[in-house]
Amino acid sequence: MSKERIKNLIERHLPEAGLVETALKGVQMFRVTEAMPCVPAVYQPTVVAILNGTKEAVLDGEHHVYGSDKYLLCPMTLPVEAGTPQASTQDPLIGVVITLDPRLMRELAIEIETVAGGTTRSQASSASALALADWDDGFTQALLRLLELLDSPVAAAVLGPGRMREICYAVLTGGAGASARRAFGVGNEIARTIEYLSNHLRDQVTIDDMAGHVGMSRAVFHRRFREATTMSPIQFVKSMRLNNAAMMIAGGKTVSEAAWDVGYQSSSQFSREFRRMYGQSPRQWSQTAQLPDQLN
């Protein structure tokens, strides 16, 4: 019943296809009415909850297809491919995206670990980079209470931060909690490294630089990074750069501008690696790519 109320609320505020910012900071609602293949994207730390239809995210070859029975947590910035392969006018994809505030998530994660005496941390070693979790009662009620504020701008402004704290708590203690706590709790070195990389895509960052940034040896860092993301650090950096470049090109930038903006100093190397990743040259991509609004 609560999920149906959430769906009706979104449909009332978003009767037509589109992606809209709401009066609640970090909360977007979306409705997609045509199928879209998976294309390069860069996910920020977010929660995606689907109320109708199915969505797909691909990370390092692993497909995550989910609908209204699961919500998706992306606990750190990740290079993925994402699409809506089954959306249609008759069966639209309807959902909400919540951008997570890393500061708030860190505060809550550490507070939970402190109160629990460290008992929640043992699960985190087996957590995956993208996590799917069941809609438990805590998450469902927190999401409903958050979105109900959209009916009152005053309530959204006054109560929004508190309700956002509730949804973050529900994520940290729910089925995706292990992934969330690993990214935001004590020992979140890999997530901090990825945040650093995201802000330094143009720079020639080495594995030694990354390991030194979080005070690890090269070997330990390499192992921990692969455990957290399924990719090696070099593979991750390359995927981040190429996905960002593909999005820039689809958005109208020239191939050379996109290559430079993500740190490539050799256009021939950029073209080779782009073709290897996507099966076509950057120029071919610029002529055929049509990226949808970013739905995370």
Side-chain angles (χ1 to χ4, degrees), residues 6-235:
I6 295 172
K7 179 183 176 184
N8 292 339
L9 192 154
I10 294 174
E11 289 180 318
R12 180 158 49 83
H13 284 273
L14 186 61
E16 304 294 335
L19 171 71
V20 298
E21 300 280 351
T22 72
L24 294 164
K25 182 179 179 181
V27 178
Q28 299 172 305
M29 297 185 297
F30 58 83
R31 176 193 285 259
V32 182
T33 56
E34 43 183 283
M36 299 177 184
C38 288
V39 294
V42 175
Y43 276 13
Q44 302 301 321
T46 49
V47 170
V48 185
I50 303 299
L51 281 304
N52 190 80
T54 58
K55 200 171 187 310
E56 182 172 8
V58 185
L59 175 64
D60 194 30
E62 183 177 356
H63 291 250
H64 301 261
V65 181
Y66 60 105
S68 58
D69 58 330
K70 306 276 187 181
Y71 64 88
L72 179 134
L73 166 70
C74 179
M76 61 190 82
T77 304
L78 292 172
V80 301
E81 294 182 27
T84 59
Q86 299 178 24
S88 67
T89 303
Q90 296 72 29
D91 189 22
L93 176 71
I94 297 172
V96 58
V97 179
I98 299 173
T99 300
L100 299 174
D101 178 353
R103 180 192 58 78
L104 174 58
M105 289 294 287
R106 281 194 290 266
E107 289 177 357
L108 283 173
I110 293 172
E111 186 174 350
I112 290 169
E113 290 173 0
T114 301
V115 173
T119 58
T120 62
R121 293 178 58 191
S122 60
Q123 299 172 297
S125 60
S126 61
S128 60
L130 286 178
L132 293 176
D134 292 330
W135 284 62
D136 58 29
D137 187 61
F139 177 81
T140 305
Q141 293 302 321
L143 182 58
L144 176 60
R145 283 168 52 78
L146 177 68
L147 296 183
E148 283 178 332
L149 297 178
L150 294 176
D151 290 328
S152 169
V154 174
V158 176
L159 301 177
R163 300 284 173 89
M164 184 64 77
R165 184 179 175 88
E166 286 184 23
I167 197 79
C168 290
Y169 177 84
V171 171
L172 284 161
T173 57
S179 290
R181 291 191 298 273
R182 180 172 61 177
F184 298 107
V186 175
N188 64 348
E189 293 90 351
I190 301 305
R192 286 192 284 114
T193 301
I194 290 172
E195 185 177 353
Y196 172 78
L197 284 173
S198 300
N199 294 324
H200 294 83
L201 276 184
R202 275 190 180 181
D203 301 336
Q204 302 307 306
V205 181
T206 67
I207 294 181
D208 289 333
D209 293 333
M210 290 184 266
H213 182 69
V214 290
M216 292 184 185
S217 69
R218 181 187 177 100
V220 170
F221 174 78
H222 195 282
R223 174 174 56 81
R224 289 277 303 277
F225 196 98
R226 184 178 285 279
E227 287 174 353
T229 67
T230 76
M231 289 180 267
S232 70
I234 295 302
Q235 180 187 4

